[in-house]
């Protein structure tokens, strides 16, 4: 009765204040911190109320911090609309364009219909965007903006970016709750939030990649971790377990619905659960419930995405089904399950480029594969740089994290409780031991180990690890178990000394961090910059005013996403790479930067339906990557041609019979002018119009003005 009463009060308060669903989620989870304390006093209620206030304040501080950095870096409030849209770089622009499309549709129904039957994202193809991409968040915001009475005082772009920044507050509060649940002290949550903010470079990149799917999904992933931590706590009553499982399902569903790579993250999480089961750290009932939550979430997303085969054929779903089968029937049948797991992997197509990348990264696949090389040559997909640890050590995060990790791994190896104790420990049994690995601590330990290994191998995955690292390190500073172990070793373990250390040490660390970093934060938020990209602005303005609205553009994936957002023109390819046919087309379109004949390139572009092709000097004469990783080098290797410049080449490579297309077309030779007409150029971009046959030319006589700003 007490549990239900508190839950009802929390829900009533959240609804009365009109808090969003994630806030309601973490409020309900937070109430278990009070319930687990057992004894109700005014001091307890006041202490917990202060903790909630601190957690929400840190979340809001994180939100305001990244919003201020975004504004100061671009002077976003004072630049033109086209400049704002250009600031949504690469795939961010593609996703934001669908939010813009929903707002411009005559009605919500027609907007949804246009997304379900889209023929502007990929030329000569009609695709279901809700099936192909994870853009339900853009649809939801578009509908919400249309029905709320906020159009008069809040621009659509601000409604969008403020929503994403608000999710950062949810993220910090979820981490706050996780560390609070683990340690039993909200001081750990305060330390978590401060560490997250101070290590912003390594914990988030939301201020300059607003629309990336991870910025939508990671806050829900953090909520899911908080729910799992709460679910694995001892002494939970059945009604409490059911409530937490439902909250876990909602968080997992939102996480999966907002990121196309959800299956790979859930696969790692399923491996963590499987390891806990093998080590007998959680009960069979808990394992089954956790797996069922994952399966239910994936199947729900599968239905919402119009039966997307990439989800149904994912490794995560295959592994979870196999693990459930093993758990329910017989552990000796696991080899059969592994066979099913591998067989399913061989049938994948949409995400096969991910497996090519993994195989090539470990030297198990072909090194000349174009798709794999695109990833391998990017710094974000390389190993985690060593300077990351220098930054983490500078904020005192690395030291308690490593100590906690080492000690808990030792405890897990030699002092863990069996699952009968962990699931519903009898009174006195677990407490009688000098130290015992709790199930919630064990999960978070393996979580940080698995995702830490993932981050070490691929730098871009560090954002899955560093946020949780803050919560885990804060637990090490404020947790009872570790300090009890240390005090037992020196034979002076008393409640007074334990409480003194757990409350004093985090306060000392917080004071030190405030003294060292507050002036730096104030300096950072006071630095003012301004968006400046005149060449791209000029290109977008020209396309909008001088080309037909149904014109089809070919070019690099990154640039075409911006063209779709700023001009609404049709594309041949785009950065959402999770489709085999699109990857093949992208490789073909990129032949404009390879050593190919004008006839070959014209035929490729004509087959893709392109009317215009945009070439960039930054790609044609690329210097950002070294030899062997430039885009033109990847194309040469894939085509079997010798690369440009001094250096070694594989003996089976041959000299190309044609010069590089992006360079030779600028000479205006007869072979090129017969097929292409230059219609625009500036210091960065060169736009050519494809010449058609006589039948096509008659219907394509709309004049296109030539502009040349370099002369």
């Amino acid at each position: 009765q007490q549990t239900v009463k508190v839950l009802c009060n929390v829900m009533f308060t959240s609804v009365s204040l009109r808090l969003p669903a994630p806030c309601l989620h973490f409020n309900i989870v937070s109430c278990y911190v009070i319930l687990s304390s057992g004894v109700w006093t005014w001091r307890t209620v006041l202490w917990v109320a202060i903790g909630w206030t601190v957690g929400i304040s840190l979340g809001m501080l994180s939100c305001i911090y990244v919003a201020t950095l975004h504004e100061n870096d671009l002077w976003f409030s004072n630049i033109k609309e086209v400049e704002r849209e250009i600031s949504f770089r690469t795939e961010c622009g593609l996703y934001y364009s669908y939010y813009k499309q929903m707002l411009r549709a005559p009605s919500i129904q027609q907007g949804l219909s246009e997304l379900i039957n889209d023929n502007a994202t990929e030329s000569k193809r009609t695709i279901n965007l809700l099936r192909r991409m994870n853009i339900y968040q853009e649809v939801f915001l578009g509908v919400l903006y249309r029905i709320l009475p906020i159009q008069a005082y809040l621009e659509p772009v601000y409604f969008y970016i403020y929503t994403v920044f608000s999710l950062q507050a949810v993220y910090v509060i979820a981490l706050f709750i996780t560390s609070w649940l683990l340690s039993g002290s909200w001081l750990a949550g305060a330390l978590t939030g401060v560490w997250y903010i101070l290590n912003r470079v390594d914990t988030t990149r939301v201020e300059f990649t607003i629309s990336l799917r991870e910025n939508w999904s990671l806050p829900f992933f953090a909520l899911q971790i908080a729910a799992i931590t709460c679910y694995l706590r001892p002494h939970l009553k059945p009604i409490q377990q059911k409530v937490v499982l439902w909250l876990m399902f909602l968080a997992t569903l939102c996480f999966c619905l907002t990121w196309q790579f959800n299956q790979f993250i859930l696969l790692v999480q399923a491996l963590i659960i499987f390891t806990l089961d093998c080590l007998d750290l959680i009960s069979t009932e808990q394992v089954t419930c956790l797996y069922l939550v994952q399966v239910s979430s994936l199947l729900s997303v599968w239905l919402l995405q119009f039966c997307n085969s990439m989800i149904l054929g994912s490794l995560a779903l295959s592994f979870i089904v196999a693990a459930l089968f093993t758990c329910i029937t017989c552990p000796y049948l696991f080899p059969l399950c592994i066979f099913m797991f591998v067989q399913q992997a061989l049938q994948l197509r949409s995400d096969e480029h991910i497996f090519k990348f993994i195989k090539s990264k470990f030297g198990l696949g072909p090194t000349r594969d174009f798709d794999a090389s695109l990833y391998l040559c990017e710094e974000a997909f390389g190993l985690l740089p060593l300077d990351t640890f220098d930054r983490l050590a500078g904020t005192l995060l690395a030291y308690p994290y490593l100590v906690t990790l080492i000690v808990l791994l030792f405890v897990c190896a030699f002092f863990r409780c069996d699952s009968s104790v962990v699931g519903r420990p009898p009174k006195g049994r677990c407490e009688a031991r000098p130290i015992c690995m709790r199930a919630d601590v064990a999960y978070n330990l393996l979580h940080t180990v698995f995702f830490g290994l993932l981050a070490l191998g691929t730098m871009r995955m560090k954002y899955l690890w560093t946020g949780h690292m803050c919560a885990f390190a804060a637990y090490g500073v404020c947790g009872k178990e570790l300090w009890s172990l240390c005090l037992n070793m020196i034979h002076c373990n008393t409640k007074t000394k334990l409480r003194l250390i757990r409350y004093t040490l985090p306060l000392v660390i917080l004071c030190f961090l405030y003294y060292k970093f507050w002036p730096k934060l104030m300096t950072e938020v006071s630095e003012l910059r301004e968006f400046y990209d005149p060449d791209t602005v000029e290109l977008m303005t020209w396309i909008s005013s001088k080309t037909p609205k149904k014109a089809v553009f070919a070019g690099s994936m990154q640039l075409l996403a911006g063209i779709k957002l700023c001009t609404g023109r049709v594309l041949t390819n785009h950065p959402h790479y999770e489709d085999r046919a699109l990857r093949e087309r992208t490789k073909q379109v990129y032949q404009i930067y390879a050593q190919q004949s004008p006839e070959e390139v014209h035929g490729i572009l004509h087959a893709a339906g392109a009317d215009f092709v945009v070439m960039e000097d930054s790609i044609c004469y690329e210097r950002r990557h070294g030899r062997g990783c430039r885009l033109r080098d990847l194309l040469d290797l894939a085509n079997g041609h010798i690369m440009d410049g001094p250096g070694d080449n594989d003996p089976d490579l041959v000299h190309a019979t044609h010069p590089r297309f992006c360079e030779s077309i600028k000479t205006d030779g007869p072979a090129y002018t017969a097929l292409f007409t230059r219609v625009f150029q500036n210091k960065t971009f060169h736009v050519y119009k494809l010449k058609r046959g006589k039948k096509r030319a008659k219907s394509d006589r709309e004049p296109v003005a030539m502009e040349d700003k370099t002369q």
Side-chain angles (χ1 to χ4, degrees):
Q1 292 175 351
Q2 187 182 40
T3 301
V4 174
K5 185 177 180 180
V6 173
L7 284 173
C8 292
N9 289 335
V10 171
M11 294 175 67
F12 176 77
T13 304
S14 300
V15 173
S16 300
L17 296 175
R18 296 183 179 179
L19 295 177
C23 298
L24 175 61
H25 181 286
F26 73 72
N27 278 339
I28 294 176
V29 173
S30 298
C31 77
Y32 286 110
V33 178
I34 302 179
L35 296 174
S36 62
S37 61
V39 180
W40 284 77
T41 63
W42 283 109
R43 182 181 300 177
T44 302
V45 173
L46 178 62
W47 183 248
V48 173
I50 294 174
W52 281 5
T53 303
V54 171
I56 295 173
S57 300
L58 284 171
M60 295 302 298
L61 178 62
S62 174
C63 170
I64 296 171
Y65 178 46
V66 294
T68 303
L69 292 178
H70 176 260
E71 168 64 25
N72 292 353
D73 190 52
L74 300 173
W75 203 11
F76 198 76
S77 59
N78 284 274
I79 58 179
K80 297 183 294 185
E81 184 67 21
V82 65
E83 293 175 318
R84 289 179 177 177
E85 292 179 346
I86 292 173
S87 70
F88 288 88
R89 301 287 185 179
T90 64
E91 61 184 294
C92 296
L94 181 68
Y95 299 133
Y96 182 77
S97 70
Y98 300 123
Y99 168 70
K100 181 179 176 182
Q101 183 175 331
M102 279 295 299
L103 294 179
R104 291 190 171 183
S107 65
I108 294 175
Q109 292 78 4
Q110 187 169 340
L112 290 172
S113 177
E114 290 174 356
L115 293 177
I116 294 173
N117 301 280
D118 179 88
N119 53 14
T121 302
E122 296 178 17
S123 58
K124 304 180 77 171
R125 295 174 183 170
T126 299
I127 60 176
N128 185 342
L129 291 171
L130 295 181
R131 182 179 186 273
R132 175 80 71 81
M133 303 182 190
N134 297 70
I135 58 169
Y136 268 98
Q137 50 267 52
E138 278 75 23
V139 174
F140 175 74
L141 285 190
V143 173
L144 200 61
Y145 186 81
R146 295 178 68 125
I147 63 178
L148 291 177
I150 58 176
Q151 292 88 347
Y153 56 89
L154 186 63
E155 297 179 61
V157 65
Y158 279 106
F159 181 67
Y160 186 91
I161 65 175
Y162 286 165
T163 301
V164 179
F165 291 150
S166 298
L167 285 176
Q168 283 296 297
V170 176
Y171 195 179
V172 171
I173 294 171
L175 295 174
F176 184 98
I177 293 172
T178 300
S179 58
W180 190 354
L181 289 169
L182 288 172
S183 64
S185 170
W186 61 257
L187 285 175
L191 199 54
T192 299
V194 171
W195 267 332
Y196 181 90
I197 295 172
L198 294 181
N199 291 281
R200 174 189 57 81
V201 175
D202 297 303
T203 55
T204 183
R205 49 179 178 166
V206 66
E207 72 275 10
F208 61 90
T209 58
I210 295 176
S211 303
L212 277 188
R213 305 297 83 178
E214 65 187 51
N215 295 327
W216 287 94
S217 63
L218 289 186
F220 296 107
F221 188 52
L223 286 173
Q224 185 227 38
I225 296 170
I228 292 176
T229 302
C230 184
Y231 174 70
L232 295 178
R233 288 168 63 85
H235 308 297
L236 277 188
K237 298 178 181 179
I239 182 63
Q240 296 173 340
Q241 291 181 343
K242 291 179 181 179
V243 171
V244 175
L245 282 173
W246 273 107
L247 296 175
M248 191 191 308
F249 167 74
L250 292 175
T252 309
L253 175 63
C254 293
F255 164 71
C256 294
L257 196 60
T258 52
W259 197 12
Q260 70 269 28
F261 295 134
N262 59 74
Q263 53 168 303
F264 302 103
I265 309 306
L266 289 188
L267 174 61
V268 176
Q269 196 173 60
L271 290 171
I272 294 171
I273 298 170
F274 183 78
T275 305
L276 291 171
D277 186 25
C278 291
L279 296 176
D280 209 19
L281 288 169
I282 57 179
S283 65
T284 302
E285 179 185 357
Q286 290 173 324
V287 172
T288 304
C289 290
L290 291 174
Y291 279 148
L292 288 177
V293 166
Q294 290 186 322
V295 170
S296 302
S297 302
L298 286 171
L299 292 180
S300 299
V301 174
W302 175 68
L303 290 174
L304 288 171
Q305 290 196 293
F306 297 83
C307 303
N308 189 333
S309 59
M310 184 176 173
I311 298 175
L312 198 61
S314 65
L315 287 177
L317 196 58
S318 303
F319 179 85
I320 293 169
V321 171
L324 276 172
F325 181 72
T326 303
C327 184
I328 295 173
T329 57
C330 177
Y332 299 104
L333 295 178
F334 187 68
L336 175 61
C337 299
I338 289 294
F339 173 76
M340 296 167 55
F341 176 76
V342 174
Q343 187 180 34
Q344 184 66 34
L346 296 176
Q347 297 174 356
L348 295 175
R349 291 295 179 268
S350 296
D351 52 0
E352 64 181 359
H353 62 299
I354 303 296
F355 299 99
K356 288 181 180 179
F357 160 71
I358 296 173
K359 290 167 63 178
S360 298
K361 190 176 183 68
F362 293 100
L364 302 176
T367 57
R368 293 184 189 174
D369 182 81
F370 180 75
D371 296 326
S373 298
L374 277 179
Y375 287 97
L376 289 171
C377 286
E378 289 297 326
E379 183 182 2
F381 293 93
L383 299 177
L384 188 67
L386 294 178
D387 61 354
T388 303
F389 299 100
D390 294 333
R391 291 192 296 270
L392 297 177
T395 60
L396 302 183
L397 173 60
Y399 304 116
Y401 173 79
L402 291 175
V403 171
T404 305
L405 181 64
I406 294 171
V407 172
L408 287 182
L409 285 175
F410 177 80
V411 172
C412 184
F414 299 103
F415 295 101
R416 65 176 184 270
C417 295
D418 56 67
S419 59
S420 62
V421 175
V422 174
R424 293 179 179 274
K427 293 183 178 180
R429 181 174 177 184
C430 193
E431 290 81 351
R433 303 184 63 171
I435 187 169
C436 181
M437 178 65 70
R438 289 173 9 216
D440 55 341
V441 175
Y443 171 81
N444 282 273
L445 171 63
L446 293 184
H447 182 99
T448 195
V449 170
F450 276 63
F451 283 97
L453 294 174
L454 186 63
L456 291 175
T458 305
M459 186 183 73
R460 187 174 179 179
M461 297 294 105
K462 71 177 180 179
Y463 301 105
L464 290 163
W465 176 50
T466 47
H468 184 265
M469 177 194 292
C470 299
F472 190 76
Y475 158 69
V477 173
C478 303
K480 297 179 181 178
E481 293 85 1
L482 297 181
W483 287 116
S484 296
L485 178 63
C486 295
L487 292 175
N488 280 331
M489 293 177 64
I490 58 177
H491 305 288
C492 61
N493 187 10
T494 62
K495 290 185 177 180
T496 303
K497 293 179 181 178
L498 179 61
R499 184 176 299 176
L500 181 65
I501 293 176
R502 291 179 60 230
Y503 292 157
T504 303
L505 186 58
L507 290 175
V508 170
I509 295 176
L510 288 171
C511 291
F512 170 79
L513 295 176
Y514 175 83
Y515 174 78
K516 182 177 180 180
F517 290 100
W518 182 254
K520 295 181 180 179
L521 288 180
M522 292 298 98
T523 302
E524 186 179 20
V525 297
S526 64
E527 292 178 354
L528 302 178
R529 301 181 182 87
E530 183 179 355
F531 176 88
Y532 184 76
D533 191 355
D535 290 344
T536 306
V537 172
E538 184 184 15
L539 172 66
M540 299 303 174
T541 304
W542 179 84
I543 292 175
S544 297
S545 60
K546 302 297 183 180
T547 64
K549 292 184 177 180
K550 296 296 183 180
V552 180
F553 277 80
S556 68
M557 296 183 290
Q558 297 81 0
L559 178 63
L560 290 183
I563 288 177
K564 176 169 177 54
L565 171 58
C566 298
T567 70
R569 299 307 188 259
V570 184
L571 312 179
T572 57
N573 52 301
H574 53 81
H576 195 275
Y577 218 47
E578 279 62 56
D579 180 75
R580 188 180 186 183
L582 177 66
R583 292 195 295 271
E584 290 294 331
R585 176 182 279 191
T586 299
K587 182 180 176 181
Q588 290 299 311
V589 170
Y590 275 8
Q591 296 301 314
I592 60 178
Y593 297 109
Q595 301 177 76
Q596 297 286 2
S597 67
E599 294 79 12
E600 179 70 19
V601 173
H602 186 275
I604 291 172
L605 297 177
H606 178 73
D611 298 310
F612 297 89
V613 58
V614 185
M615 281 174 281
E616 305 165 62
D617 286 346
S618 58
I619 298 179
C620 190
Y621 306 104
E622 183 182 359
R623 295 181 180 178
R624 185 169 66 95
H625 294 103
R627 186 176 185 269
C629 270
R630 301 168 297 188
L631 179 60
R632 63 178 187 267
D633 296 335
L634 302 182
L635 292 165
D636 289 342
L637 290 173
N639 295 335
H641 296 158
I642 291 176
M643 296 181 291
D644 291 340
D648 297 332
N649 291 281
D650 292 338
D652 60 324
L653 298 177
V654 298
H655 288 282
T657 56
H658 300 281
R660 194 164 303 283
F661 178 82
C662 63
E663 296 177 358
S664 300
I665 194 174
K666 298 173 186 176
T667 63
D668 293 331
Y672 297 93
T673 56
L675 300 172
F676 301 92
T677 302
R678 183 165 53 189
V679 292
F680 174 88
Q681 78 175 72
N682 60 22
K683 296 178 181 179
T684 304
F685 304 103
H686 302 262
V687 183
Y688 291 85
K689 182 175 173 31
L690 276 70
K691 293 184 178 180
R692 306 290 186 179
K694 293 183 179 180
K695 293 182 180 180
R696 186 76 180 268
K698 187 175 181 179
S699 63
D700 206 358
R701 290 177 180 173
E702 189 168 346
V704 179
M706 166 63 187
E707 294 190 8
D708 188 341
K709 299 298 183 181
T710 61
Q711 298 178 357

